[in-house]
Amino acid sequence: MHKNESDAEYQEELKKRILELKKERGALIVAHNYQRDEIQDIADMTGDSYALACKVKEAREKVVVFCGVKFMAESAAMLSPEKTVLLPVEEAGCPLADMITVEKLCKKKDEYPEAAVVCYVNSSAAVKAESDICCTSSNAVKIVKSLKEEKVLFVPDKNLGRFVREHVPEKELILWDGYCIVHMRLTYEEVVHAKELYPEAEFIAHPECRKEVLKLADHVGSTAAMVKYVNECPKKEFIVGTESGILYKMKKENPDKKFYVPTDQFICANMKLTTLGWVARSLEKMVYKIEVQEEIARKARKTLEKMIEVTG
Ligand code: 13P
Ligand code: SF4
């Protein structure tokens, strides 16, 4: 009989097995803030895409299991070429990252030869390789501000791009027409409704949300910045405008505070593909190794390193 992964006893068995394998392999496990609760529990660290990439780069361990989506594991692997980075589920991708190809980017670059290309980390290694510098949601404003060029081609997320444009009015931003299908689901009306239901709550949002949604926010930031904000804010109630996996950490770190999701559609199916069973299998079989073609990795690494240099 096939064991059911939602069975509590089986979950404990899997957690034990993962800890044994982790020790055997000398591995580090990192998990993005959107991962399932039980995955966050077995991780050595949870965080946003920037923090996790830095953690992997600095880690002593030579094997890293990256519980997240492909572009995150790929970035971590390129920044740490001496390490083996494993993505437990090969198909865990990001539809936003797939909204741009190298061919289309090169065409656009020909239209704007004077523009610096800033690439959101939610993109393939090949697209990063064709860019001048990378950014994440935690540092996009700072990165764009740091550029000497006045014109900036910002790819592929238009909502983050618009957010940056508002904060760096001295630059001319040309935006790619990409977006996160999960964050785009949240509408202005849903947030207004949630605010009516919870009048004492602050509304916090990820910059991948629609512009009209961001206008309603008391705070906008990366997933790590959102967690930090609720930890430090004296308010007791929050409407959370990002993938619902983040609530686990927020609740755990703030048991006295209340958190609400403005829509029940706030789930990234790709992030939820990783289960305890897949993590155990990943360590057992050492799969799936992230491998990026050398020439692409060399160029893409430069754009990531430049980002780290600016961010500090
Ligand atoms: P963070 O870098 O803020 O964690 O965001 C990653 C992401 O994919 C948001 O949808
Ligand atoms: Fe990609 Fe959106 Fe999922 Fe983030 S939430 S990984 S941007 S699809």
Side-chain angles (χ1 to χ4, degrees):
M1 198 181 72
H2 227 71
K3 288 194 180 177
N4 183 355
E5 257 207 54
S6 55
D7 179 77
E9 216 175 293
Y10 185 46
Q11 284 216 356
E12 285 317 306
E13 221 178 276
L14 280 171
K15 282 185 186 172
K16 241 177 90 189
R17 181 76 188 123
I18 289 168
L19 287 182
E20 282 165 13
L21 285 162
K22 190 170 106 87
K23 216 167 156 192
E24 253 172 56
R25 300 283 190 203
L28 174 80
I29 303 179
V30 297
H32 186 263
N33 288 324
Y34 296 160
Q35 289 286 293
R36 293 169 181 270
D37 303 355
E38 61 274 21
I39 298 292
Q40 297 193 34
D41 281 343
I42 51 121
D44 295 296
M45 181 195 171
T46 56
D48 66 4
S49 39
Y50 183 75
L52 295 180
C54 293
K55 171 76 181 174
V56 174
K57 190 174 185 295
E58 286 151 19
R60 279 177 294 111
E61 291 85 349
K62 292 282 172 264
V63 175
V64 178
V65 180
F66 203 115
C67 303
V69 293
K70 191 173 173 199
F71 77 81
M72 295 180 180
E74 218 174 50
S75 301
M78 288 189 293
L79 280 168
S80 320
E82 73 293 354
K83 290 175 189 142
T84 299
V85 178
L86 305 172
L87 181 69
V89 181
E90 204 174 18
E91 309 77 49
C94 167
L96 165 60
D98 296 336
M99 287 186 190
I100 183 166
T101 62
V102 184
E103 293 71 28
K104 285 184 186 162
L105 173 59
C106 289
K107 251 184 155 171
K108 205 60 162 179
K109 276 170 61 172
D110 288 344
E111 276 178 52
Y112 301 98
E114 71 282 33
V117 182
V118 177
C119 172
Y120 187 28
V121 72
N122 297 41
S123 54
S124 68
V127 165
K128 288 185 179 80
E130 280 304 322
S131 304
D132 295 306
I133 190 164
C134 262
C135 74
T136 72
S137 53
S138 67
N139 57 29
V141 170
K142 196 169 182 182
I143 296 291
V144 171
K145 268 190 183 160
S146 77
L147 299 169
K148 61 177 189 316
E149 291 86 350
E150 200 197 310
K151 229 178 223 183
V152 175
L153 175 55
F154 191 94
V155 303
D157 189 73
K158 64 178 173 189
N159 292 312
L160 176 62
R162 274 201 208 103
F163 176 75
V164 173
R165 187 189 265 161
E166 268 180 31
H167 287 79
V168 197
E170 65 275 20
K171 302 270 183 205
E172 185 188 336
L173 264 75
I174 302 130
L175 307 181
W176 195 265
D177 192 20
Y179 53 87
C180 163
I181 55 168
V182 181
H183 286 83
M184 280 291 260
R185 284 183 202 142
L186 179 63
T187 65
Y188 177 87
E189 290 73 22
E190 282 169 327
V191 179
V192 170
H193 182 62
K195 279 175 165 260
E196 281 164 10
L197 283 178
Y198 311 111
E200 293 307 316
E202 286 221 353
F203 172 55
I204 56 172
H206 193 277
E208 285 173 15
C209 289
R210 295 165 183 275
K211 110 174 151 227
E212 61 271 25
V213 165
L214 293 183
K215 285 226 160 27
L216 297 171
D218 298 296
H219 176 75
V220 177
S222 76
T223 56
M226 290 169 87
V227 173
K228 186 169 185 281
Y229 184 79
V230 302
N231 288 358
E232 291 170 0
C233 181
K235 284 278 186 101
K236 293 283 181 217
E237 291 180 54
F238 299 88
I239 300 161
V240 183
T242 197
E243 213 272 353
S244 53
I246 201 171
L247 266 72
Y248 182 62
K249 192 174 193 173
M250 288 178 170
K251 285 180 183 166
K252 206 162 145 184
E253 294 182 8
N254 300 278
D256 59 324
K257 297 184 182 177
K258 285 187 177 148
F259 300 96
Y260 312 108
V261 274
T263 165
D264 54 7
Q265 301 297 308
F266 242 148
I267 293 168
C268 174
N270 282 281
M271 281 284 179
K272 302 307 190 231
L273 287 174
T274 309
T275 61
L276 291 173
W278 285 106
V279 175
R281 180 179 178 275
S282 173
L283 280 163
E284 228 153 39
K285 300 189 183 296
M286 292 293 282
V287 289
Y288 291 91
K289 281 191 186 122
I290 298 286
E291 270 155 342
V292 182
Q293 198 232 315
E294 218 178 291
E295 184 56 12
I296 292 179
R298 190 184 59 77
K299 288 194 196 162
R301 186 177 307 122
K302 271 194 193 157
T303 67
L304 287 160
E305 281 170 349
K306 266 195 206 165
M307 166 182 77
I308 295 178
E309 231 177 83
V310 173
T311 311

